[in-house]
Amino acid sequence: MCSLETYKIDLKGLKEDETALDFDLNDDFFQSLDGSQLEHGALHVSVSIRKMTGFFELQFHTEGSVTVSCDRCLDDMEQPIATDNRMMVKLGDTYSDDDDTVTIDENEGILDLSWFIYEFIMLAIPIKHVHAPGKCNSAMTQKLEELSGAVRSGEEEAEAIDPRWEALLKLKK
């Protein structure tokens, strides 16, 4: 299992005005997170932390791929991820992430990046993810075509007009 301690940053302890961090994420990272929908992936995350007056600006650059299920055939597929994100953090009385700025407890000064990185990855996955044409599971594609043909023939039967409504259509004309 992956230790999520490496993703905890002591913002108060940063000595330099700009700090660069690199993380390599693998299956252990996703399995360590509670409630993670992703289980497999290989990504590289670069984080640049810039210390400014009263707050911190974090720039995230994520590249790699995750494994998701195809919406069409339900087989696993590689989904490439390439995203840049920005986050503002300030020190305050209590933890809050209600608005665009995350506020962490000033007494503690520790920011856990693990869940933020995970959310940035999830937001980078397209809503619809399907294999390239011809790459889906052929057995599942064949079954899907058979069933969608049955649905179409059912629609054609539904298009036949009920005789009661047919009489009303005659009145309309």
Side-chain angles (χ1 to χ4, degrees):
M1 289 295 278
C2 172
S3 172
L4 296 178
E5 290 297 316
T6 57
Y7 302 99
K8 293 184 178 181
I9 309 301
D10 183 8
L11 294 177
K12 287 176 38 176
L14 293 177
K15 304 284 188 238
E16 302 170 16
D17 288 341
E18 191 158 338
T19 306
L21 304 169
D22 290 312
F23 302 107
D24 288 315
L25 310 181
N26 55 24
D27 296 350
D28 293 337
F29 171 78
F30 296 110
Q31 292 167 0
S32 296
L33 291 172
D34 293 333
S36 173
Q37 295 174 356
L38 291 175
E39 294 179 5
H40 305 289
L43 298 123
H44 178 78
V45 180
S46 300
V47 182
S48 172
I49 305 171
R50 194 166 58 169
K51 195 175 185 180
M52 305 173 104
T53 307
F55 62 94
F56 300 87
E57 178 185 33
L58 286 78
Q59 297 281 345
F60 296 83
H61 177 73
T62 308
E63 280 188 40
S65 65
V66 294
T67 303
V68 294
S69 61
C70 175
D71 290 339
R72 189 175 300 139
C73 71
L74 302 178
D75 279 356
D76 285 346
M77 63 173 275
E78 291 281 320
Q79 179 65 54
I81 301 291
T83 183
D84 291 309
N85 302 93
R86 181 174 171 262
M87 184 170 91
M88 303 301 283
V89 179
K90 68 179 181 179
L91 301 175
D93 296 334
T94 59
Y95 179 84
S96 169
D97 62 356
D98 294 337
D99 52 2
D100 293 340
T101 304
V102 175
T103 306
I104 59 171
D105 186 8
E106 190 170 10
N107 297 327
E108 191 174 311
I110 305 286
L111 176 65
D112 186 358
L113 296 178
S114 59
W115 194 254
F116 293 109
I117 291 171
Y118 173 75
E119 286 180 344
F120 293 148
I121 294 167
M122 290 300 291
L123 289 172
I125 298 173
I127 291 174
K128 182 177 180 182
H129 26 86
V130 295
H131 284 106
K135 300 289 184 186
C136 276
N137 180 333
S138 58
M140 184 64 92
T141 304
Q142 181 181 2
K143 190 68 171 172
L144 183 62
E145 288 173 4
E146 288 173 13
L147 292 174
S148 58
V151 170
R152 281 191 208 114
S153 65
E155 289 172 357
E156 291 169 3
E157 290 173 11
E159 287 179 15
I161 299 175
D162 187 341
R164 295 172 292 180
W165 296 113
E166 200 170 315
L168 288 174
L169 285 174
K170 289 179 186 176
L171 288 174
K172 187 177 176 182
K173 292 179 182 177

